[in-house]
Amino acid sequence: MDKVPGEMEIERRERSEELSEAERKAVQATWARLYANCEDVGVAILVRFFVNFPSAKQYFSQFKHMTEPLEMERSPQLRKHACRVMGALNTVVENLHDPEKVSSVLALVGKAHALKHKVEPVYFKILSGVILEVIAEEFANDFPAETQRAWAKLRSLIYSHVTAAYKEVGWVQQVPNTTTPPATLPSSGP
C-alpha cells in the first residue's frame, strides 16, 4: 500500500519525538525530585514565567494585574494553577512509556487552551523553556548534558502535541491585545 505524500514525514517526526528508555529514566528521575516539592516548584515556575513574560498574564483574570513576585507567590489562584500545571506534567512524565496516553493528555490540554482559554500556543514553548531553566537551577550540580538533552526532547514533544491539538481544532491566531507591548514576547529561539 502506497503512503500518502507527507505521511512518511509525519511518521518520522513522531518517531524522532519518542524518548529512549535511558532518556525516559533520566527525565523521570529528575522529575521525581522536583515533584516532591510540587506546589512550590510550580509557583516558582509560574512566577518566573509571568515576571519575564507579563503578556502571558492577560489570560488570567485573577492575577493579571499583579506585578510583584511576592504578591503572585501568595495568590491562592496562582498556586492552584501551578498545581494543575504540575499535575498535567506529572501525568505526562509518568506515562512516557505510553505514547498514546501522553498524546491524549496533551491533546486535552491543547484543546482546552485553544478553545476555552484562547491562549496563543507560543506560550507553551515559552513556559516549557522556563521549566527547563528552573530544573537547571534546581539541579545545577546534577543535571548532566544527556539529561538536559532528554528534557529538551520532552519539551519538543510537548510543544508538538499541543500545537497539533490547536491545528486539529482549527486554531486561528488571535488578534494581539493592543495594551501588550511586543517586547514581552520572544523574537525567536526555543
Side-chain angles (χ1 to χ4, degrees), residues 44-119:
I45 289 167
L46 287 186
V47 168
R48 180 176 300 190
F49 177 55
F50 292 134
V51 167
N52 293 343
F53 303 96
S55 61
K57 291 187 295 182
Q58 69 184 306
Y59 302 106
F60 299 92
S61 60
Q62 312 94 329
F63 45 87
K64 71 178 175 183
H65 300 295
M66 294 179 186
T67 56
E68 295 300 317
L70 190 57
E71 181 183 16
M72 288 183 225
E73 286 174 19
R74 293 179 176 162
S75 166
Q77 295 89 355
L78 188 139
R79 294 188 85 76
K80 184 177 177 184
H81 192 67
C83 287
R84 277 197 304 270
V85 169
M86 295 295 281
L89 280 171
N90 189 56
T91 301
V92 168
V93 171
E94 283 185 346
N95 289 285
L96 287 174
H97 65 280
D98 183 352
E100 287 183 27
K101 175 73 172 180
V102 169
S103 182
S104 173
V105 169
L106 294 173
L108 288 172
V109 169
K111 289 175 185 177
H113 283 78
L115 298 172
K116 183 177 179 187
H117 307 298
K118 310 284 189 228
V119 174

Side-chain angles (χ1 to χ4, degrees), residues 6-181:
E7 198 172 313
M8 291 286 285
E9 181 182 329
I10 290 168
E11 282 184 20
R12 197 169 36 252
R13 181 175 50 93
E14 287 174 354
R15 273 198 311 270
S16 70
E17 289 174 353
E18 292 180 16
L19 277 68
S20 69
E21 182 66 26
E23 290 168 329
R24 283 195 300 267
K25 286 180 178 180
V27 165
Q28 289 170 332
T30 311
W31 179 254
R33 294 184 315 187
L34 263 183
Y35 197 67
N37 197 10
C38 168
E39 186 174 347
D40 289 338
V41 172
V43 168
I45 289 167
L46 287 186
V47 168
R48 180 176 300 190
F49 177 55
F50 292 134
V51 167
N52 293 343
F53 303 96
S55 61
K57 291 187 295 182
Q58 69 184 306
Y59 302 106
F60 299 92
S61 60
Q62 312 94 329
F63 45 87
K64 71 178 175 183
H65 300 295
M66 294 179 186
T67 56
E68 295 300 317
L70 190 57
E71 181 183 16
M72 288 183 225
E73 286 174 19
R74 293 179 176 162
S75 166
Q77 295 89 355
L78 188 139
R79 294 188 85 76
K80 184 177 177 184
H81 192 67
C83 287
R84 277 197 304 270
V85 169
M86 295 295 281
L89 280 171
N90 189 56
T91 301
V92 168
V93 171
E94 283 185 346
N95 289 285
L96 287 174
H97 65 280
D98 183 352
E100 287 183 27
K101 175 73 172 180
V102 169
S103 182
S104 173
V105 169
L106 294 173
L108 288 172
V109 169
K111 289 175 185 177
H113 283 78
L115 298 172
K116 183 177 179 187
H117 307 298
K118 310 284 189 228
V119 174
E120 289 290 335
V122 69
Y123 287 107
F124 282 93
K125 184 176 272 190
I126 297 167
L127 179 60
S128 62
V130 171
I131 291 167
L132 291 183
E133 286 175 13
V134 170
I135 293 170
E137 288 171 14
E138 287 287 320
F139 302 111
N141 298 323
D142 189 20
F143 197 48
E146 59 272 8
T147 303
Q148 292 175 36
R149 282 191 297 274
W151 274 97
K153 199 170 180 181
L154 178 60
R155 176 188 187 200
S156 295
L157 181 145
I158 289 170
Y159 187 67
S160 69
H161 280 288
V162 168
T163 54
Y166 271 71
K167 289 175 187 164
E168 187 180 321
V169 299
W171 174 261
V172 177
Q173 186 171 1
Q174 305 300 297
V175 177
N177 181 338
T178 56
T179 61
T180 304

